[in-house]
Amino acid sequence: LSDAGLQFVVGKGGVGKSTLTAALGLEAASHGQRTLVAEIGRHGGLSRLFDAEDIVPGAPRVVAPHLTLLTLEGDEALAEYLRLVIPIKRLLSLVFASRFYSIFVAGAPGLKELMTVGKIWFEAERRMADGQPVWERMFVDAGASGHSLQYLQMPSAAATAFRSGLVHREATRVQQLLADPKRTCVHVVATPEEMPVTEACSIIERLRGDLHFPLGDLFVNRCRPPVPRGAAEAIEVLGRLPAEGEAERLRAAMTEAATDALEWDAVQQAAISRLEECTGLRAERVPLLVREEFGIDDARELVSMLAARRKPGFRPKLARSQRGNP
Ligand SMILES: Nc1ncnc2c1ncn2[C@@H]1O[C@H](COP(=O)(O)OP(=O)(O)OP(=O)(O)O)[C@@H](O)[C@H]1O
Ligand SMILES: [Mg+2]
């Protein structure tokens, strides 16, 4: 697990970015670190997990001991920035009310993305009176890949587009933070399936290529537990046992379960091998928790798994839900 203060979580839609952001945040907070979990866009999975769907963008909310949640939204980030640079209230409301503002300022391509990343930078750099960082750890759920890479590339795009002046200076400062492996990393999440793996490979290629971002972990979420050794032989043995009636039905059910498990395992293995081959990284497996409805307590269960991985000599154990699986 990276020590960087600012950690982004990206990946294809639905792979578990919000869940892992919550788990990483809860893990850091459990060590007493002042932790911020943030998500880009309102009504996202992270606020839902913390039961804070009514949270207002830009207004932080404490959701657990040492853990604060913040949602980020372009409009609000832009308005907050203008409040900082135009402290005169009357003038500010005139700006917001003007047609010029809504057409040319708020509508400028890329500006809201830039402001959102700028707000992340602001939070990452904020210091308390004694000089300590306000947040010792920040985890940002950056949304589905196309979206999140668009945000991450904005500072460097702006620094290039504006060769000098205020925008250039501000964007360069943000870019310096994002590119610094001591301070920032980007975790990539996939699931052991074809499309998420393909997308994770191309995200990593871009992070290493034109975006120049420090890579964090490569998580493969919703991994099934390993099939017990001897499953293939067991199918063979079952086939040789004389059985009829109840016993025959039991044998058929057991054979089917073992065959299914082996097939899933082969598909999962192939996906993970492809991911590791195309990225050259070791995939960190995150177990599938079989739940009717997944909630924050389940994310907490992933926390203990993440925490255990910090310890040397870690050997993966079956999650509670998976014990008793045939
Ligand atoms: N390890 C896991 N085991 C079982 N279910 C999981 C696991 N991780 C995530 N899920 C479930 O998978 C679904 C998608 O997870 P999540 O919302 O975290 O994904 P996401 O990548 O943030 O999605 P989106 O791109 O829509 O924001 C959710 O229903 C979540 O509860
Ligand atoms: Mg999400």
Side-chain angles (χ1 to χ4, degrees):
L1 291 171
S2 170
D3 281 335
L6 174 59
Q7 309 193 2
F8 290 90
V9 179
V10 305
K12 188 182 181 333
V15 292
K17 297 176 294 294
S18 302
T19 306
L20 276 162
T21 307
L24 288 164
L26 286 163
E27 204 269 335
S30 74
H31 294 280
Q33 295 183 311
R34 294 183 301 278
T35 308
L36 182 77
V37 283
E39 88 178 320
I40 296 179
R42 54 175 83 195
H43 309 308
L46 197 59
S47 330
R48 215 169 26 248
L49 264 174
F50 285 107
D51 216 1
E53 282 158 301
D54 58 337
I55 193 167
V56 176
R61 182 182 292 186
V62 176
V63 285
H66 309 291
L67 188 65
T68 300
L69 169 71
L70 178 71
T71 57
L72 302 161
E73 228 239 327
D75 283 326
E76 172 49 35
L78 175 57
E80 189 181 340
Y81 180 74
L82 290 176
R83 279 196 290 272
L84 278 175
V85 294
I86 314 174
I88 306 159
K89 269 206 175 132
R90 238 180 75 75
L91 183 59
L92 195 64
S93 38
L94 280 174
V95 170
F96 287 153
S98 74
R99 266 174 62 77
F100 175 81
Y101 174 76
S102 56
I103 296 173
F104 293 103
V105 181
L111 183 61
K112 286 177 188 165
E113 286 88 344
L114 189 61
M115 286 293 141
T116 306
V117 184
K119 169 74 175 162
I120 294 169
W121 172 86
F122 177 77
E123 291 297 334
E125 297 284 299
R126 252 172 79 194
R127 293 286 180 274
M128 300 189 290
D130 61 0
Q132 291 295 313
V134 171
W135 311 114
E136 291 170 283
R137 280 279 191 289
M138 277 177 67
F139 299 95
V140 183
D141 175 357
S145 17
H147 204 225
S148 50
L149 297 188
Q150 206 179 322
Y151 278 90
L152 292 176
Q153 76 183 32
M154 222 35 234
S156 97
T160 313
F162 295 83
R163 284 164 183 268
S164 60
L166 175 77
V167 179
H168 176 81
R169 276 200 309 280
E170 299 274 315
T172 304
R173 281 205 294 178
V174 177
Q175 180 56 20
Q176 277 166 352
L177 166 68
L178 298 186
D180 182 352
K182 287 200 201 74
R183 295 190 290 167
T184 303
C185 74
V186 183
H187 301 297
V188 179
V189 188
T191 49
E193 296 158 288
E194 193 182 340
M195 292 305 288
V197 163
T198 302
E199 196 146 332
C201 290
S202 69
I203 296 171
I204 289 171
E205 203 181 310
R206 286 213 56 201
L207 290 172
R208 282 178 167 151
D210 59 322
L211 293 173
H212 295 299
F213 272 105
L215 273 173
D217 284 309
L218 171 59
F219 291 110
V220 184
N221 190 23
R222 297 204 295 256
C223 282
R224 286 161 183 266
V227 177
R229 242 182 298 151
E233 292 78 8
I235 294 175
E236 227 185 280
V237 172
L238 279 167
R240 286 204 302 270
L241 289 179
E244 52 188 46
E246 271 297 291
E248 174 53 39
R249 278 197 291 280
L250 181 62
R251 171 170 61 190
M254 287 175 76
T255 306
E256 195 185 325
T259 310
D260 265 6
L262 282 168
E263 280 172 9
W264 273 111
D265 196 54
V267 170
Q268 178 168 299
Q269 259 319 319
I272 295 175
S273 301
R274 185 161 79 85
L275 184 60
E276 290 186 330
E277 256 165 49
C278 81
T279 60
L281 298 172
R282 196 174 70 86
E284 199 71 51
R285 294 172 190 227
V286 180
L288 166 80
L289 304 180
V290 183
R291 300 284 186 277
E292 208 169 296
E293 210 176 317
F294 195 95
I296 197 65
D297 288 337
D298 305 308
R300 282 182 201 278
E301 200 168 320
L302 297 177
V303 175
S304 42
M305 178 227 92
L306 290 171
R309 282 186 187 270
R310 281 180 186 273
K311 298 192 185 106
F314 166 76
R315 299 262 312 276
K317 276 202 312 212
L318 288 185
R320 188 172 37 131
S321 56
Q322 288 154 353
R323 290 182 202 134
N325 184 320

